[in-house]
């Protein structure tokens, strides 16, 4: 495993990671561990994802999971939604993060996915909630409309007409 510091691309020696773990629940230890993981999420989100799935004895900040979700959403939004839905206590928050990132970056693809989504999954519910919240804000709704083709604009208006 490689650990990275945020924005630098510099790896952190395994001994330093062990030292951070030894600090355990201290405020400094949690802060330092979370900062190291933010960098890891940017440089190797898949590696951090596997680590977080395997390493359950340390309480990581929900922000660490959100960094992985953001990185995964940039590459494969559906994977990010699926993984976020399996994260237990904070899954709703992580699904919202994935939905917001996807809708803001590639709304046409996000809405196409939502329109073709065959089930009433937690991920679909998070996408619908994020869209409803976006449509409720006139500035957000206008920005979203500008990014969409006419077919998806029509669908969006018919789906969320009662929300506004």
């Amino acid at each position: 495993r490689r650990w990275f510091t945020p924005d630098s691309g510099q790896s952190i020696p395994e001994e330093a990671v062990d030292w951070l773990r030894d600090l355990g629940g201290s405020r400094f230890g949690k802060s330092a561990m979370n900062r190291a993981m933010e960098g890891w999420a940017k440089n190797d989100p898949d590696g951090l994802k596997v680590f977080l799935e395997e390493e359950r004895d340390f309480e990581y900040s929900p922000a660490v999971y959100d960094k992985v979700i953001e990185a995964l959403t940039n590459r494969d939004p559906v994977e990010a939604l699926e993984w976020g839905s399996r994260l237990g206590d904070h899954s709703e928050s992580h699904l919202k993060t994935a939905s917001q990132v996807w809708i803001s970056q590639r709304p046409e693809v996000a809405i196409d996915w939502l329109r073709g989504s065959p089930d009433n999954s937690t991920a679909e519910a998070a996408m619908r909630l994020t869209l409803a919240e976006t449509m409720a804000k006139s500035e957000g709704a206008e920005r979203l409309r500008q990014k969409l083709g006419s077919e998806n604009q029509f669908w969006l208006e018919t789906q969320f007409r009662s929300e506004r």
Side-chain angles (χ1 to χ4, degrees), residues 84-140:
S85 70
R86 296 190 307 261
L87 292 177
D89 294 344
H90 298 284
S91 65
E92 188 175 310
S93 167
H94 301 311
L95 286 170
K96 186 172 183 171
T97 297
S99 298
Q100 288 170 332
V101 170
W102 195 9
I103 289 168
S104 70
Q105 292 179 352
R106 295 184 291 170
E108 194 79 28
V109 176
I111 290 173
D112 284 344
W113 174 83
L114 185 58
R115 289 178 67 183
S117 183
D119 60 358
N120 291 324
S121 67
T122 307
E124 180 186 2
M127 288 287 288
R128 285 187 176 278
L129 178 61
T130 301
L131 280 169
E133 290 173 351
T134 301
M135 293 302 290
K137 301 173 192 165
S138 60
E139 182 181 305

Side-chain angles (χ1 to χ4, degrees), residues 3-57:
W3 289 68
F4 294 90
T5 57
D7 302 320
S8 73
Q10 299 291 319
S11 63
I12 299 174
E14 191 67 34
E15 297 81 27
V17 174
D18 292 338
W19 177 73
L20 289 171
R21 277 196 193 116
D22 289 344
L23 293 174
S26 75
R27 187 173 160 187
F28 173 76
K30 283 184 178 182
S31 175
M33 181 67 83
N34 289 330
R35 291 270 302 149
M37 288 196 164
E38 286 177 22
W40 191 1
K42 282 183 178 180
N43 291 291
D44 181 17
D46 291 316
L48 181 54
K49 177 182 154 192
V50 169
F51 174 82
L52 291 171
E53 290 169 350
E54 294 172 354
E55 180 87 14
R56 298 288 184 180
D57 63 341

